[in-house]
């Protein structure tokens, strides 16, 4: 509370009445005492009157003190109300969603944008752990994402700011929202007090939706999983004019799979045994992978991505600087052994997804993969 | 103020003391009266005591009422303070700048992001008209921008939401900030009360700065000046790795000039006399131009833009569907007559700028212009 709330002003009128009442009461008491000098009860009455005068004065002073307090508190509250009104105006009229978590990861407050984005009533969000909100029955389950979120939350609890992209797929609809999230620890005297989460849906804007005819881009990326994930969202965000969102989501996942493969099995030459060993360690597999394997001459290797989009198709070419990753072996393995071996190798989400989504071709001894998706079936009007 | 502030609860203890004091006082008075039955002053004292008891009770009740009021106000203010703390946390930790204007266009409140972006102290912003802030001596004067801002403010005062891009160039530095601004009228009972301004600096992000090798895009645009302005910012935002910002700003202006020419003199076939006539009318020239000339078969004409960026250069090709705009005539005019005639024709900012910034070549009878900017001189490290 600011100190000025406690400042009390007693009005001149109150002062005057206190003085007048006190003086006149005492005068009356003294006169009474003088007239009935011989009569003790006269003195009693004078004393009673004097006491009454004191009481009345103290009452008036106290009352004035309290009124002052009430007025200044009321003014303060009114000022704050204005401030809150402006702040709500700003917070609720933006594309950016804001969430404040307490130190247990529970939602303390958020803005309207978050509510709208999640499609859930306020009461389903307030006080809930963020993870529980994202794992809500409204959305399709995705254990991979849950893992990412938990992992990033762990980073924030350790005091690190973290940026990542998170996709939510709404059950029974083709609505998919990719959100660029940032989580920032808010500390007081070195202790984590709150976590500020802010985010913004990744989507193509009006000019892209209406006017883009085609685009292309080339990127040269380090062995950085989080950057590659972000790139996968960037390189799929302008497809909305040509593909339904649920499809875009699949393309995203497939692209992520290929990009992480390029780092893991391509540039960093991790084989099945190595992967199994690393996965048994405590912590996030990808963090451990980069920490253990992104060293020396391997760390200088790049992932080269080229992307092009036109009215007919989208094409991604991903090339790593590894010795050639044995795609064929894995593909054959799958065909021979059925899903079992394959799924075990890639731990759930794998090359299969990529094959279902894109037309694939390989070059450079397997270190270059070209993925093409034609739009003819799903052509959307602008 | 919420109603619950006025709800007063008198505690049980207060009630009890009021009752005890009142009863015991009256009891004392009655006893006194009974003992000194013959003595009139006994009754006087009893009356005084009774009066005192009443006074004390009313004082206690009133005091308790006021204490209740103070407590509930204090709780309310504390709740508000928490709310403000969270809201500040959200508002001051975002890339988005927020400004609330009153109905006279003066700044009522804003967030930290706006303060940081403008590089001005809080006191230089609070209470000032937004226009005065943008026309501050810290920035270079740009009459064109001032005009755009006034124009968009006029739209908002008329109750229309408006989106535009605004570039600020800081004096004596090469700092240029392009901001995508949105202005939204906030009405109460049909009357404009406030204007919410929000904006976000247009710049390339980390992945682009670090990893982009090259990109390209093709756009097919309507005769819409505001969309073309926005596109000019989009098509220059990823140059930061290759050019200093002051240069990017010049490229932006030159691109805007060519794009508006494509609409004005290309697609809508406005000649010098027509332009002079339209400019003499009241209102924004570009609004009048679109309203008067973007009709019938002319309205269906497009502006085709292709953009490509690589390590060496950036290339823009702008093509309109007009009968061929007489670039040569204007260029010759300039060379013959010096700046005078040329500047008059293009009203200050013209083709001259474009020639100074880009290497130009023309095709399609003048309806296609190719602009190339090589980086070798100003190559920036990533």
């Amino acid at each position: 509370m600011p100190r000025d709330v406690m400042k009390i002003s007693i009005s001149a009128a109150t002062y005057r009445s206190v003085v007048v009442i006190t003086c006149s009461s005492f005068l009356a008491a003294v006169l009474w005492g003088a007239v009935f000098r011989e009569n003790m009860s006269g003195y009693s009455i004078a004393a009673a009157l004097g006491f009454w005068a004191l009481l009345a004065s103290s009452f008036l002073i106290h009352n004035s003190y309290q009124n002052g307090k009430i007025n200044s508190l009321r003014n303060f509250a009114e000022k704050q109300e204005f401030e809150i009104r402006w702040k709500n105006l700003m917070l609720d009229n933006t594309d950016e969603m804001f969430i404040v978590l307490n130190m247990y990861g529970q939602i303390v407050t958020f803005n309207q944008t978050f509510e709208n984005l999640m499609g859930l009533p306020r009461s389903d969000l307030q006080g809930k752990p963020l993870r529980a909100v994202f794992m809500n029955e409204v959305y399709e389950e995705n254990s991979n994402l849950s893992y990412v979120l938990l992992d990033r939350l762990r980073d924030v609890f350790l005091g690190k700011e973290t940026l990542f992209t998170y996709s939510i797929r709404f059950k029974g609809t083709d609505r998919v929202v990719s959100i660029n999230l940032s989580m920032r620890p808010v500390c007081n005297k070195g202790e984590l007090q709150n976590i500020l989460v802010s985010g913004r849906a990744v989507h193509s804007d009006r000019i892209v939706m209406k006017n883009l005819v085609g685009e292309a881009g080339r990127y040269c990326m380090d062995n950085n999983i989080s950057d590659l994930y972000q790139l996968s969202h960037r390189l799929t965000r302008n497809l909305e004019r040509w593909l339904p969102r649920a499809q875009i989501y699949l393309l995203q996942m497939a692209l992520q799979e290929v990009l992480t493969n390029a780092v893991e099995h391509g540039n960093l030459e991790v084989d099945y045994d190595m992967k199994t060993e690393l996965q048994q360690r405590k912590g996030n597999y990808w963090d451990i992978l980069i920490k253990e394997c992104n060293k020396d001459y391997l760390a200088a290797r790049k992932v080269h991505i080229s992307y092009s989009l036109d009215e007919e198709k989208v094409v991604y070419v991903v090339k790593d600087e590894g010795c050639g990753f044995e795609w064929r072996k894995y593909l054959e393995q799958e065909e021979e052994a059925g899903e079992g071996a394959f799924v075990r190798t890639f731990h759930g989400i794998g090359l299969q997804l990529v094959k279902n989504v894109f037309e694939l071709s390989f070059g450079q001894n397997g270190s270059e993969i070209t993925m093409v998706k034609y739009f003819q079936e799903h052509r959307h009007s602008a």
Side-chain angles (χ1 to χ4, degrees), chain A:
Chain A
M1 303 276 283
R3 278 166 198 281
D4 71 275
V5 171
M6 305 308 291
K7 260 193 347 206
I8 299 306
S9 61
I10 295 173
S11 72
T14 308
Y15 255 127
R16 244 177 284 130
S17 40
V18 167
V19 171
V20 168
I21 289 171
T22 313
C23 293
S24 57
S25 303
F26 268 97
L27 196 66
V30 169
L31 279 177
W32 192 292
V35 171
F36 299 96
R37 195 184 305 185
E38 307 307 314
N39 192 336
M40 273 299 284
S41 64
Y43 288 107
S44 310
I45 288 168
L49 275 174
F51 182 72
W52 174 74
L54 277 171
L55 188 75
S57 334
S58 72
F59 164 67
L60 282 170
I61 290 171
H62 187 76
N63 184 42
S64 153
Y65 173 82
Q66 283 189 316
N67 278 340
K69 217 178 208 168
I70 289 171
N71 281 339
S72 69
L73 273 168
R74 195 171 279 159
N75 287 342
F76 179 66
E78 261 167 31
K79 252 200 213 156
Q80 282 188 323
E81 264 193 298
F82 264 101
E83 211 178 321
I84 289 173
R85 202 191 126 204
W86 301 132
K87 290 190 193 297
N88 281 343
L89 197 63
M90 298 193 268
L91 281 171
D92 293 336
N93 286 287
T94 170
D95 296 337
E96 185 122 356
M97 60 174 225
F98 293 107
I99 314 154
V100 178
L101 306 181
N102 64 16
M103 66 184 95
Y104 310 108
Q106 292 161 326
I107 297 177
V108 176
T109 188
F110 50 89
N111 68 343
Q112 188 66 43
T113 315
F114 177 56
E115 210 178 318
N116 298 347
L117 200 70
M118 302 307 290
L120 288 171
R122 206 157 187 90
S123 55
D124 280 13
L125 302 169
Q126 189 77 49
K128 300 279 163 62
L130 185 64
R131 208 176 72 94
V133 166
F134 280 119
M135 296 298 119
N136 193 290
E137 67 229 5
V138 174
Y139 321 114
E140 282 191 16
E141 268 178 47
N142 182 329
S143 57
N144 214 28
L145 285 184
S146 160
Y147 186 65
V148 167
L149 186 64
L150 262 184
D151 228 60
R152 296 287 77 91
L153 271 170
R154 201 202 46 190
D155 287 349
V156 185
F157 283 124
L158 293 174
K160 279 191 279 182
E161 188 175 343
T162 172
L163 296 163
F164 64 104
T165 309
Y166 195 90
S167 280
I168 302 168
R169 193 168 169 180
F170 289 77
K171 257 188 190 160
T173 68
D174 77 342
R175 197 176 160 215
V176 179
V177 184
S178 294
I179 312 169
N180 273 339
L181 278 175
S182 123
M183 297 210 261
R184 196 179 306 212
V186 181
C187 297
N188 189 7
K189 291 170 194 155
E191 295 260 317
L192 180 75
Q193 291 229 314
N194 290 103
I195 297 166
L196 177 69
V197 182
S198 61
R200 177 173 279 266
V202 188
H203 49 62
S204 54
D205 61 15
R206 198 177 46 86
I207 286 197
V208 163
M209 283 299 276
K210 237 182 85 193
N211 306 107
L212 186 71
V213 179
E215 63 172 358
R218 277 173 298 137
Y219 296 84
C220 174
M221 309 289 292
D222 291 321
N223 297 320
N224 180 323
I225 302 296
S226 140
D227 279 4
L228 288 167
Y229 264 70
Q230 229 183 300
L231 190 70
S232 78
H233 287 275
R234 170 192 298 268
L235 297 188
T236 48
R237 75 177 164 198
N238 288 346
L239 300 173
E240 278 177 39
R241 197 169 142 195
W242 291 278
L243 290 176
R245 290 192 190 175
Q247 280 260 350
I248 297 175
Y249 181 71
L250 291 178
L251 261 71
Q252 233 168 60
M253 306 270 286
L255 195 54
Q256 282 166 15
E257 180 62 26
V258 170
L259 291 171
T260 48
N261 270 339
V263 171
E264 188 184 18
H265 303 295
N267 285 349
L268 303 186
E269 299 179 4
V270 173
D271 58 19
Y272 179 72
D273 295 337
M274 179 79 173
K275 179 164 182 162
T276 308
E277 197 261 295
L278 290 177
Q279 279 186 322
Q280 276 154 6
R281 302 207 200 161
K282 212 180 149 193
N284 176 359
Y285 167 71
W286 294 107
D287 288 350
I288 295 166
L289 173 80
I290 296 300
K291 201 177 152 210
E292 293 294 315
C293 307
N294 195 29
K295 288 176 180 168
D296 309 326
Y297 71 100
L298 294 182
R301 289 181 170 177
K302 306 285 179 190
V303 182
H304 305 268
I305 296 113
S306 103
Y307 150 72
S308 83
L309 168 69
D310 60 37
E311 296 281 344
E312 270 188 346
K313 62 187 181 305
V314 60
V315 182
Y316 301 98
V317 182
V318 177
K319 188 178 170 314
D320 60 60
E321 297 180 357
C323 311
F325 170 55
E326 299 179 58
W327 288 93
R328 283 176 197 80
K329 189 179 132 200
Y330 284 100
L331 286 176
E332 277 159 24
Q333 214 178 45
E334 182 202 5
E335 273 155 28
E336 279 166 23
E339 278 194 19
F342 177 76
V343 168
R344 260 205 315 286
T345 316
F346 277 91
H347 305 266
I349 303 172
L351 204 45
Q352 204 177 14
L353 173 70
V354 186
K355 271 186 71 184
N356 287 340
V357 173
F358 286 110
E359 291 183 23
L360 295 183
S361 56
F362 302 95
Q364 306 280 333
N365 201 21
S367 69
E368 185 181 291
I369 174 169
T370 302
M371 296 170 275
V372 186
K373 174 75 192 171
Y374 290 96
F375 302 140
Q376 73 272 25
E377 285 169 42
H378 304 282
R379 180 70 206 262
H380 269 207
S381 59

